[in-house]
Coordinates of all heavy atoms in Angstrom, one line a residue:
M1 N -1.0 11.3 -23.6 CA 0.2 11.6 -22.9 C 0.1 11.0 -21.5 O -0.9 11.2 -20.8 CB 0.4 13.1 -22.7 CG 1.4 13.7 -23.7 SD 1.6 15.4 -23.3 CE 2.6 15.9 -24.6
P2 N 1.2 10.3 -21.0 CA 1.1 9.8 -19.6 C 1.2 10.9 -18.6 O 1.7 12.0 -18.9 CB 2.4 8.9 -19.6 CG 3.3 9.5 -20.6 CD 2.4 10.0 -21.7
K3 N 0.6 10.6 -17.5 CA 0.5 11.6 -16.4 C 1.3 11.1 -15.2 O 1.4 9.9 -14.9 CB -0.9 11.8 -16.0 CG -1.8 12.5 -17.0 CD -3.1 12.9 -16.4 CE -4.0 13.5 -17.4 NZ -4.6 12.6 -18.4
V4 N 1.8 12.0 -14.4 CA 2.3 11.8 -13.1 C 1.3 12.4 -12.1 O 1.1 13.6 -12.2 CB 3.7 12.3 -12.9 CG1 4.2 12.2 -11.4 CG2 4.7 11.6 -13.8
K5 N 0.7 11.5 -11.3 CA -0.2 12.0 -10.3 C 0.5 12.1 -8.9 O 1.0 11.0 -8.5 CB -1.5 11.1 -10.3 CG -2.2 11.1 -11.6 CD -3.4 10.1 -11.5 CE -4.0 10.0 -12.9 NZ -5.1 9.1 -13.0
V6 N 0.4 13.2 -8.3 CA 1.0 13.3 -6.9 C -0.1 13.2 -5.9 O -0.8 14.2 -5.7 CB 1.8 14.6 -6.8 CG1 2.6 14.6 -5.5 CG2 2.8 14.8 -8.0
L7 N -0.2 12.0 -5.4 CA -1.3 11.7 -4.5 C -1.4 12.7 -3.3 O -2.5 13.2 -3.1 CB -1.1 10.3 -3.9 CG -2.3 9.5 -3.4 CD1 -3.3 9.4 -4.6 CD2 -1.9 8.2 -3.0
N8 N -0.4 13.0 -2.6 CA -0.5 13.8 -1.4 C -0.6 15.3 -1.7 O -0.9 16.0 -0.8 CB 0.6 13.5 -0.4 CG 2.0 13.6 -1.0 OD1 2.2 13.2 -2.1 ND2 2.9 14.1 -0.2
L9 N -0.5 15.7 -2.9 CA -0.7 17.1 -3.3 C -2.0 17.2 -4.0 O -2.5 18.4 -4.3 CB 0.5 17.6 -4.1 CG 1.8 17.6 -3.5 CD1 2.9 18.2 -4.4 CD2 1.8 18.4 -2.2
G10 N -2.6 16.1 -4.5 CA -3.8 16.2 -5.2 C -3.6 16.8 -6.6 O -4.5 17.5 -7.1
L11 N -2.4 16.6 -7.2 CA -2.1 17.3 -8.5 C -1.7 16.2 -9.5 O -1.3 15.1 -9.1 CB -0.9 18.3 -8.3 CG -1.1 19.4 -7.4 CD1 0.2 20.2 -7.1 CD2 -2.2 20.4 -7.9
E12 N -1.9 16.6 -10.8 CA -1.4 15.6 -11.8 C -0.8 16.5 -13.0 O -1.3 17.5 -13.3 CB -2.4 14.7 -12.3 CG -3.6 15.3 -12.9 CD -4.6 14.2 -13.3 OE1 -5.0 13.3 -12.5 OE2 -5.1 14.2 -14.5
F13 N 0.3 15.9 -13.5 CA 1.0 16.6 -14.6 C 1.2 15.7 -15.8 O 1.5 14.5 -15.6 CB 2.3 17.1 -14.1 CG 2.2 17.8 -12.8 CD1 2.8 17.3 -11.6 CD2 1.6 19.1 -12.7 CE1 2.7 18.0 -10.4 CE2 1.5 19.8 -11.5 CZ 2.1 19.2 -10.4
E14 N 1.2 16.2 -16.9 CA 1.4 15.4 -18.1 C 3.0 15.3 -18.3 O 3.7 16.2 -18.0 CB 0.8 16.0 -19.4 CG -0.7 15.9 -19.4 CD -1.3 16.3 -20.7 OE1 -0.7 17.1 -21.5 OE2 -2.4 15.8 -21.0
G15 N 3.4 14.2 -18.8 CA 4.9 14.0 -19.1 C 5.0 13.3 -20.5 O 4.0 13.0 -21.1
I16 N 6.2 13.2 -20.9 CA 6.5 12.5 -22.1 C 7.5 11.3 -21.9 O 8.2 11.3 -20.9 CB 7.1 13.4 -23.2 CG1 8.3 14.2 -22.7 CG2 6.0 14.4 -23.7 CD1 9.0 14.9 -23.8
E17 N 7.5 10.4 -22.8 CA 8.5 9.3 -22.6 C 9.9 9.8 -22.4 O 10.3 10.8 -23.1 CB 8.4 8.4 -23.9 CG 9.2 7.2 -23.7 CD 9.2 6.3 -25.0 OE1 8.6 6.6 -26.0 OE2 10.0 5.3 -25.0
N18 N 10.6 9.1 -21.6 CA 12.0 9.5 -21.3 C 12.2 10.7 -20.3 O 13.3 11.0 -20.0 CB 12.8 9.6 -22.5 CG 13.3 8.3 -23.0 OD1 13.7 7.4 -22.2 ND2 13.2 8.1 -24.3
E19 N 11.1 11.3 -20.0 CA 11.2 12.4 -19.0 C 11.3 11.8 -17.6 O 10.6 10.9 -17.3 CB 10.0 13.3 -19.2 CG 10.2 14.7 -18.7 CD 9.1 15.7 -19.0 OE1 8.0 15.2 -19.3 OE2 9.4 16.9 -18.9
T20 N 12.1 12.4 -16.8 CA 12.2 11.9 -15.4 C 11.1 12.5 -14.6 O 10.5 13.6 -14.9 CB 13.5 12.2 -14.7 OG1 13.6 13.6 -14.5 CG2 14.7 11.7 -15.4
I21 N 10.7 11.8 -13.5 CA 9.7 12.4 -12.6 C 10.1 13.7 -12.1 O 9.4 14.6 -12.0 CB 9.4 11.4 -11.4 CG1 8.7 10.1 -11.9 CG2 8.6 12.0 -10.4 CD1 8.6 9.0 -10.9
M22 N 11.4 13.9 -11.8 CA 11.9 15.1 -11.3 C 11.8 16.3 -12.3 O 11.3 17.4 -12.0 CB 13.4 15.0 -10.8 CG 14.0 16.3 -10.3 SD 15.7 16.2 -9.8 CE 15.5 15.5 -8.2
Q23 N 12.1 16.0 -13.6 CA 11.9 17.0 -14.6 C 10.5 17.4 -14.7 O 10.2 18.6 -14.8 CB 12.4 16.4 -16.0 CG 13.9 16.3 -16.1 CD 14.3 15.5 -17.3 OE1 13.6 14.6 -17.8 NE2 15.4 15.9 -17.8
I24 N 9.5 16.5 -14.6 CA 8.1 16.8 -14.7 C 7.7 17.7 -13.5 O 7.0 18.7 -13.7 CB 7.3 15.5 -14.8 CG1 7.6 14.8 -16.1 CG2 5.8 15.8 -14.6 CD1 7.1 13.3 -16.2
L25 N 8.1 17.3 -12.3 CA 7.8 18.1 -11.1 C 8.3 19.5 -11.2 O 7.7 20.5 -10.9 CB 8.3 17.3 -9.8 CG 7.6 16.0 -9.6 CD1 8.3 15.3 -8.4 CD2 6.1 16.1 -9.4
Y26 N 9.6 19.6 -11.5 CA 10.3 20.9 -11.7 C 9.5 21.8 -12.7 O 9.3 23.0 -12.4 CB 11.8 20.8 -12.1 CG 12.7 20.6 -10.9 CD1 12.2 20.4 -9.6 CD2 14.1 20.6 -11.1 CE1 13.1 20.2 -8.5 CE2 15.0 20.4 -10.0 CZ 14.5 20.2 -8.7 OH 15.3 20.1 -7.7
R27 N 9.2 21.2 -13.8 CA 8.6 22.0 -14.9 C 7.3 22.5 -14.4 O 6.8 23.5 -14.9 CB 8.4 21.0 -16.1 CG 7.8 21.7 -17.3 CD 8.0 20.9 -18.6 NE 7.8 19.5 -18.5 CZ 6.6 18.9 -18.4 NH1 5.6 19.6 -18.5 NH2 6.5 17.5 -18.4
N28 N 6.7 21.9 -13.4 CA 5.4 22.3 -12.8 C 5.5 23.0 -11.5 O 4.5 23.2 -10.8 CB 4.4 21.2 -12.8 CG 4.0 20.7 -14.2 OD1 3.2 21.4 -14.8 ND2 4.6 19.6 -14.7
G29 N 6.7 23.5 -11.2 CA 7.0 24.3 -10.0 C 7.0 23.5 -8.7 O 6.9 24.1 -7.6
I30 N 7.2 22.2 -8.8 CA 7.3 21.4 -7.5 C 8.8 21.1 -7.3 O 9.4 20.5 -8.0 CB 6.6 20.1 -7.6 CG1 5.1 20.2 -8.1 CG2 6.6 19.3 -6.3 CD1 4.2 20.9 -7.1
E31 N 9.3 21.7 -6.2 CA 10.6 21.5 -5.8 C 10.9 20.1 -5.2 O 10.0 19.7 -4.3 CB 11.1 22.6 -4.8 CG 11.1 24.0 -5.4 CD 12.5 24.4 -5.8 OE1 13.5 23.9 -5.3 OE2 12.5 25.3 -6.7
V32 N 11.9 19.5 -5.6 CA 12.3 18.2 -4.9 C 13.7 18.3 -4.5 O 14.6 18.9 -5.1 CB 12.2 17.1 -6.0 CG1 12.6 15.7 -5.4 CG2 10.8 17.0 -6.6
D33 N 14.0 17.8 -3.2 CA 15.4 17.9 -2.7 C 16.3 17.1 -3.7 O 15.9 16.0 -4.2 CB 15.5 17.2 -1.3 CG 14.8 18.1 -0.3 OD1 14.7 19.3 -0.5 OD2 14.6 17.7 0.8
S34 N 17.5 17.6 -3.8 CA 18.4 16.9 -4.7 C 19.8 17.1 -4.3 O 20.6 17.8 -4.9 CB 18.3 17.3 -6.2 OG 18.4 18.7 -6.3
A35 N 20.2 16.5 -3.2 CA 21.5 16.7 -2.5 C 22.6 16.3 -3.5 O 23.7 17.0 -3.4 CB 21.6 15.8 -1.3
C36 N 22.5 15.4 -4.4 CA 23.6 15.0 -5.2 C 23.5 15.7 -6.6 O 24.3 15.4 -7.5 CB 23.7 13.5 -5.4 SG 22.4 12.8 -6.5
G37 N 22.5 16.6 -6.7 CA 22.4 17.4 -8.0 C 21.8 16.6 -9.1 O 22.0 16.8 -10.3
G38 N 21.0 15.5 -8.7 CA 20.3 14.7 -9.7 C 21.1 13.7 -10.4 O 20.8 13.3 -11.6
H39 N 22.2 13.2 -9.7 CA 23.1 12.2 -10.3 C 22.8 10.8 -9.8 O 23.6 9.9 -10.1 CB 24.5 12.6 -10.1 CG 24.9 13.9 -10.7 ND1 25.1 14.0 -12.1 CD2 25.2 15.1 -10.2 CE1 25.4 15.2 -12.4 NE2 25.5 15.9 -11.3
G40 N 21.7 10.6 -9.1 CA 21.4 9.3 -8.7 C 22.2 8.7 -7.6 O 22.3 7.5 -7.5
Q41 N 22.9 9.6 -6.8 CA 23.8 9.1 -5.8 C 23.4 9.3 -4.4 O 24.1 9.0 -3.5 CB 25.2 9.7 -6.1 CG 25.8 9.3 -7.4 CD 27.0 10.1 -7.8 OE1 27.2 11.1 -7.4 NE2 27.7 9.6 -8.8
C42 N 22.3 9.9 -4.2 CA 21.7 10.1 -2.8 C 20.3 9.5 -2.9 O 19.9 9.0 -3.9 CB 21.8 11.6 -2.4 SG 20.6 12.6 -3.3
T43 N 19.5 9.8 -1.8 CA 18.1 9.4 -1.9 C 17.2 10.5 -1.6 O 16.0 10.3 -1.3 CB 17.9 8.2 -0.9 OG1 18.2 8.6 0.4 CG2 18.7 7.0 -1.3
S44 N 17.8 11.7 -1.6 CA 16.9 12.9 -1.2 C 15.7 13.1 -2.1 O 14.8 13.8 -1.7 CB 17.8 14.1 -1.0 OG 18.4 14.5 -2.2
C45 N 15.8 12.6 -3.3 CA 14.7 12.9 -4.3 C 13.8 11.7 -4.4 O 13.0 11.7 -5.3 CB 15.3 13.1 -5.6 SG 16.1 11.7 -6.4
K46 N 13.9 10.7 -3.5 CA 13.1 9.5 -3.7 C 11.6 9.8 -3.5 O 11.2 10.7 -2.8 CB 13.6 8.4 -2.7 CG 13.0 8.6 -1.3 CD 13.3 7.4 -0.4 CE 12.7 7.7 0.9 NZ 13.2 6.8 1.9
V47 N 10.9 9.0 -4.3 CA 9.4 9.1 -4.2 C 8.9 7.7 -4.1 O 9.5 6.7 -4.4 CB 8.8 9.7 -5.5 CG1 9.2 11.2 -5.7 CG2 9.1 8.9 -6.8
L48 N 7.7 7.6 -3.5 CA 7.0 6.4 -3.3 C 6.1 6.2 -4.5 O 5.3 7.1 -4.7 CB 6.2 6.4 -2.0 CG 5.5 5.1 -1.6 CD1 6.5 4.0 -1.3 CD2 4.7 5.3 -0.4
V49 N 6.2 5.1 -5.2 CA 5.4 4.8 -6.4 C 4.2 4.0 -5.9 O 4.4 2.8 -5.5 CB 6.1 4.1 -7.5 CG1 5.2 3.9 -8.7 CG2 7.4 5.0 -7.9
V50 N 3.0 4.6 -5.9 CA 1.8 3.9 -5.4 C 1.2 3.0 -6.5 O 0.6 2.0 -6.1 CB 0.8 5.0 -4.9 CG1 -0.4 4.4 -4.3 CG2 1.5 5.9 -3.8
Q51 N 1.2 3.5 -7.6 CA 0.6 2.8 -8.8 C 1.4 3.1 -10.0 O 2.0 4.1 -10.2 CB -0.8 3.2 -9.0 CG -1.9 2.4 -8.5 CD -3.3 2.9 -8.9 OE1 -3.5 4.2 -8.9 NE2 -4.2 2.1 -9.2
G52 N 1.5 2.1 -10.9 CA 2.1 2.3 -12.3 C 3.5 2.2 -12.3 O 4.2 2.8 -13.3
I53 N 4.2 1.5 -11.5 CA 5.6 1.3 -11.5 C 6.1 0.7 -12.8 O 7.2 0.9 -13.3 CB 6.2 0.6 -10.3 CG1 7.7 1.0 -10.2 CG2 6.0 -0.9 -10.4 CD1 8.3 0.8 -8.7
E54 N 5.2 -0.1 -13.4 CA 5.5 -0.7 -14.7 C 5.5 0.3 -15.8 O 5.9 0.0 -16.9 CB 4.5 -1.8 -15.0 CG 3.0 -1.4 -15.3 CD 2.2 -1.0 -14.1 OE1 2.7 -1.0 -12.9 OE2 0.9 -0.8 -14.2
N55 N 5.0 1.5 -15.5 CA 5.1 2.6 -16.5 C 6.3 3.4 -16.5 O 6.4 4.5 -17.1 CB 3.8 3.4 -16.5 CG 2.6 2.6 -16.7 OD1 2.6 1.7 -17.6 ND2 1.5 2.8 -16.0
L56 N 7.3 3.0 -15.7 CA 8.6 3.6 -15.6 C 9.6 2.6 -16.1 O 9.5 1.4 -15.9 CB 9.0 3.9 -14.1 CG 8.1 4.9 -13.4 CD1 8.4 4.9 -11.9 CD2 8.3 6.3 -13.9
Y57 N 10.6 3.1 -16.8 CA 11.7 2.2 -17.2 C 12.4 1.7 -16.0 O 12.5 2.4 -15.0 CB 12.7 3.0 -18.1 CG 12.3 3.2 -19.5 CD1 12.1 4.5 -19.9 CD2 12.0 2.2 -20.3 CE1 11.7 4.8 -21.3 CE2 11.6 2.4 -21.6 CZ 11.4 3.7 -22.1 OH 11.0 3.9 -23.4
P58 N 12.9 0.5 -16.0 CA 13.6 -0.1 -14.9 C 14.8 0.7 -14.5 O 15.3 1.4 -15.4 CB 14.1 -1.5 -15.4 CG 13.2 -1.8 -16.6 CD 12.8 -0.5 -17.2
P59 N 15.3 0.7 -13.3 CA 16.4 1.5 -12.9 C 17.7 1.1 -13.7 O 17.9 0.0 -14.0 CB 16.7 1.0 -11.4 CG 15.4 0.4 -11.0 CD 14.7 -0.1 -12.2
E60 N 18.4 2.1 -14.1 CA 19.7 1.9 -14.7 C 20.8 1.7 -13.6 O 20.5 1.8 -12.5 CB 20.0 3.1 -15.7 CG 19.1 3.1 -16.8 CD 19.3 4.2 -17.9 OE1 20.4 4.9 -17.7 OE2 18.5 4.3 -18.8
F61 N 22.0 1.5 -14.0 CA 23.1 1.1 -13.1 C 23.2 2.1 -11.9 O 23.2 1.6 -10.8 CB 24.4 1.1 -13.9 CG 25.5 0.7 -13.0 CD1 25.7 -0.7 -12.6 CD2 26.4 1.6 -12.6 CE1 26.7 -1.0 -11.8 CE2 27.5 1.2 -11.7 CZ 27.6 -0.1 -11.4
E62 N 23.2 3.3 -12.1 CA 23.5 4.3 -11.1 C 22.3 4.2 -10.0 O 22.6 4.2 -8.8 CB 23.5 5.7 -11.6 CG 24.1 6.8 -10.7 CD 25.6 6.6 -10.5 OE1 26.3 6.6 -11.5 OE2 26.0 6.5 -9.4
E63 N 21.1 4.2 -10.5 CA 20.0 4.2 -9.6 C 19.9 2.8 -8.9 O 19.6 2.8 -7.7 CB 18.6 4.4 -10.4 CG 17.5 4.5 -9.4 CD 16.1 4.7 -10.1 OE1 16.0 4.7 -11.3 OE2 15.1 4.9 -9.4
E64 N 20.2 1.8 -9.6 CA 20.2 0.4 -9.0 C 21.2 0.3 -7.9 O 20.8 -0.2 -6.8 CB 20.5 -0.6 -10.1 CG 20.4 -2.0 -9.7 CD 18.9 -2.4 -9.5 OE1 18.1 -2.2 -10.5 OE2 18.6 -3.0 -8.5
E65 N 22.4 0.8 -8.1 CA 23.4 0.8 -7.0 C 22.9 1.6 -5.8 O 23.1 1.1 -4.7 CB 24.7 1.5 -7.6 CG 25.4 0.8 -8.6 CD 26.6 0.0 -8.0 OE1 27.5 0.7 -7.5 OE2 26.5 -1.2 -8.0
T66 N 22.3 2.7 -6.0 CA 21.9 3.6 -4.9 C 20.8 2.9 -4.1 O 20.7 2.9 -2.9 CB 21.5 5.0 -5.4 OG1 22.6 5.6 -6.0 CG2 21.1 5.9 -4.2
I67 N 19.8 2.3 -4.9 CA 18.7 1.6 -4.3 C 19.2 0.5 -3.4 O 18.8 0.4 -2.2 CB 17.7 1.1 -5.4 CG1 16.9 2.2 -5.9 CG2 16.9 0.0 -4.8 CD1 16.0 1.8 -7.1
Q68 N 20.2 -0.2 -3.8 CA 20.7 -1.3 -3.0 C 21.5 -0.7 -1.8 O 21.3 -1.2 -0.7 CB 21.6 -2.1 -3.9 CG 20.9 -3.1 -4.8 CD 21.8 -4.0 -5.6 OE1 22.9 -4.1 -5.4 NE2 21.2 -4.6 -6.7
E69 N 22.3 0.3 -2.1 CA 23.2 0.8 -1.0 C 22.4 1.4 0.1 O 22.7 1.2 1.3 CB 24.1 1.9 -1.6 CG 25.1 2.5 -0.7 CD 25.9 3.6 -1.3 OE1 26.0 3.6 -2.5 OE2 26.5 4.4 -0.5
Y70 N 21.2 2.0 -0.2 CA 20.4 2.6 0.9 C 19.3 1.7 1.3 O 18.4 2.2 2.2 CB 19.9 4.0 0.4 CG 21.0 5.1 0.4 CD1 21.8 5.2 -0.8 CD2 21.2 5.9 1.4 CE1 22.8 6.2 -0.8 CE2 22.2 6.9 1.4 CZ 23.0 7.0 0.2 OH 23.9 8.0 0.2
G71 N 19.2 0.6 0.8 CA 18.1 -0.4 1.2 C 16.7 0.0 0.8 O 15.8 -0.2 1.6
L72 N 16.6 0.7 -0.3 CA 15.2 1.1 -0.7 C 14.5 -0.1 -1.3 O 15.1 -1.1 -1.7 CB 15.2 2.2 -1.8 CG 16.0 3.5 -1.4 CD1 15.8 4.5 -2.5 CD2 15.4 4.1 -0.1
D73 N 13.2 -0.1 -1.3 CA 12.4 -1.2 -1.9 C 12.2 -0.9 -3.4 O 11.4 0.0 -3.8 CB 11.0 -1.2 -1.2 CG 10.1 -2.3 -1.8 OD1 10.5 -2.9 -2.8 OD2 9.1 -2.6 -1.1
P74 N 12.9 -1.6 -4.3 CA 12.8 -1.3 -5.7 C 11.5 -1.5 -6.4 O 11.2 -1.0 -7.4 CB 13.8 -2.2 -6.3 CG 14.0 -3.4 -5.4 CD 13.6 -2.8 -4.0
E75 N 10.5 -2.2 -5.6 CA 9.2 -2.3 -6.1 C 8.3 -1.1 -5.8 O 7.2 -1.0 -6.4 CB 8.5 -3.6 -5.5 CG 9.3 -4.9 -5.8 CD 9.3 -5.2 -7.3 OE1 8.3 -5.0 -7.9 OE2 10.4 -5.6 -7.8
K76 N 8.8 -0.3 -4.9 CA 7.9 0.9 -4.5 C 8.6 2.2 -4.5 O 8.0 3.3 -4.6 CB 7.4 0.6 -3.1 CG 6.5 -0.6 -3.0 CD 6.0 -0.7 -1.5 CE 5.2 -1.9 -1.3 NZ 5.2 -2.4 0.0
E77 N 10.0 2.2 -4.3 CA 10.7 3.5 -4.2 C 11.6 3.7 -5.3 O 12.4 2.8 -5.7 CB 11.5 3.4 -2.9 CG 10.6 3.4 -1.6 CD 11.4 3.2 -0.4 OE1 12.1 2.2 -0.2 OE2 11.3 4.1 0.5
R78 N 11.6 4.9 -5.9 CA 12.4 5.2 -7.1 C 13.0 6.6 -6.8 O 12.5 7.4 -6.1 CB 11.6 5.2 -8.3 CG 11.1 3.9 -8.8 CD 12.1 2.9 -9.2 NE 13.0 3.4 -10.3 CZ 12.7 3.2 -11.6 NH1 11.7 2.4 -12.0 NH2 13.6 3.7 -12.5
L79 N 14.1 6.8 -7.4 CA 14.8 8.1 -7.4 C 14.2 9.0 -8.5 O 14.3 8.6 -9.6 CB 16.3 8.0 -7.6 CG 17.0 7.0 -6.6 CD1 18.5 6.9 -6.9 CD2 16.8 7.4 -5.1
S80 N 13.6 10.0 -8.1 CA 12.8 10.8 -9.1 C 13.7 11.4 -10.1 O 13.3 11.7 -11.2 CB 12.0 11.9 -8.4 OG 12.8 12.9 -7.8
C81 N 15.0 11.6 -9.8 CA 15.9 12.2 -10.8 C 16.3 11.2 -11.9 O 16.9 11.5 -12.9 CB 17.2 12.8 -10.2 SG 18.3 11.6 -9.4
Q82 N 16.1 9.9 -11.6 CA 16.5 8.8 -12.5 C 15.3 8.1 -13.1 O 15.5 7.6 -14.3 CB 17.3 7.8 -11.7 CG 18.6 8.4 -11.0 CD 19.6 9.0 -12.0 OE1 20.0 8.3 -13.0 NE2 19.9 10.2 -11.9
A83 N 14.2 8.1 -12.5 CA 13.0 7.3 -12.9 C 12.4 8.0 -14.1 O 11.9 9.1 -14.0 CB 12.0 7.1 -11.8
K84 N 12.4 7.3 -15.3 CA 11.8 7.9 -16.5 C 10.6 7.2 -16.9 O 10.4 6.0 -16.9 CB 12.8 7.8 -17.6 CG 14.1 8.6 -17.4 CD 15.1 8.3 -18.6 CE 16.3 9.1 -18.4 NZ 17.4 8.7 -19.4
L85 N 9.6 8.0 -17.4 CA 8.4 7.4 -18.0 C 8.7 6.7 -19.2 O 9.5 7.1 -20.0 CB 7.4 8.6 -18.4 CG 6.9 9.5 -17.3 CD1 6.0 10.5 -17.9 CD2 6.2 8.8 -16.2
N86 N 8.0 5.5 -19.3 CA 8.2 4.7 -20.6 C 7.2 5.0 -21.6 O 7.1 4.4 -22.7 CB 8.3 3.2 -20.3 CG 7.1 2.6 -19.7 OD1 6.0 3.2 -19.7 ND2 7.2 1.5 -19.1
G87 N 6.2 5.9 -21.2 CA 5.2 6.3 -22.2 C 4.0 5.4 -22.3 O 3.1 5.6 -23.1
K88 N 4.0 4.3 -21.4 CA 2.9 3.3 -21.6 C 1.7 3.6 -20.7 O 0.7 2.9 -20.8 CB 3.4 2.0 -21.3 CG 4.4 1.5 -22.4 CD 4.9 0.1 -22.2 CE 5.9 -0.2 -23.4 NZ 6.6 -1.4 -23.1
G89 N 1.8 4.6 -19.8 CA 0.6 4.8 -18.9 C 1.0 5.7 -17.7 O 2.2 6.3 -17.7
D90 N 0.1 5.9 -16.9 CA 0.2 6.9 -15.8 C 1.0 6.3 -14.6 O 1.1 5.1 -14.4 CB -1.1 7.4 -15.3 CG -1.9 8.1 -16.3 OD1 -1.3 8.5 -17.4 OD2 -3.2 8.2 -16.1
V91 N 1.6 7.2 -13.8 CA 2.3 6.8 -12.6 C 1.7 7.6 -11.4 O 1.6 8.9 -11.6 CB 3.8 7.1 -12.7 CG1 4.6 6.7 -11.5 CG2 4.4 6.3 -13.9
V92 N 1.4 7.0 -10.3 CA 0.9 7.7 -9.1 C 2.0 7.6 -8.1 O 2.5 6.5 -7.8 CB -0.4 7.0 -8.6 CG1 -0.9 7.7 -7.4 CG2 -1.5 6.9 -9.7
I93 N 2.4 8.7 -7.6 CA 3.4 8.8 -6.6 C 3.0 9.5 -5.3 O 2.0 10.2 -5.3 CB 4.7 9.5 -7.1 CG1 4.4 11.0 -7.5 CG2 5.2 8.8 -8.4 CD1 5.6 11.8 -7.7
Y94 N 3.8 9.4 -4.3 CA 3.6 10.0 -3.0 C 4.9 10.7 -2.7 O 6.0 10.0 -2.7 CB 3.2 9.0 -2.0 CG 2.9 9.6 -0.6 CD1 1.6 9.9 -0.3 CD2 3.9 9.9 0.3 CE1 1.2 10.5 0.9 CE2 3.5 10.5 1.5 CZ 2.2 10.8 1.9 OH 1.9 11.3 3.1
L95 N 4.9 12.0 -2.5 CA 6.2 12.7 -2.2 C 6.4 12.6 -0.6 O 5.6 13.1 0.1 CB 6.1 14.2 -2.5 CG 6.1 14.5 -4.0 CD1 5.9 16.0 -4.3 CD2 7.4 14.0 -4.7
P96 N 7.5 12.1 -0.2 CA 7.8 11.9 1.3 C 7.9 13.3 1.9 O 8.2 14.3 1.3 CB 9.1 11.2 1.4 CG 9.5 10.8 0.0 CD 8.6 11.5 -1.0
Ligands
LIG101 S1 19.0 13.9 -6.4 FE1 20.4 12.5 -5.6 S2 19.6 10.6 -6.2 FE2 18.3 12.0 -7.1

């Protein structure tokens, strides 16, 4: 099972393919800000992906639009409510 490792908390959680980072964090009691309610329209849930960005599915339309609108770096920053594990490996993140 792929894992999401949260570098600055020293924690790691198992996830499954197609689960979002936010779902995994919530399931394990980690609150993430979600001003838009998890619809990919704000950046309050953004996380820094330190390693394993290739183990997330590429951004879909909604996330892509928001990344561009807010000037995020798509190689390092993802919206946790939208970024889904592709099941191929672990992802290491940093929570801002
Ligand atoms: S909660 Fe708004 S983009 Fe994720």
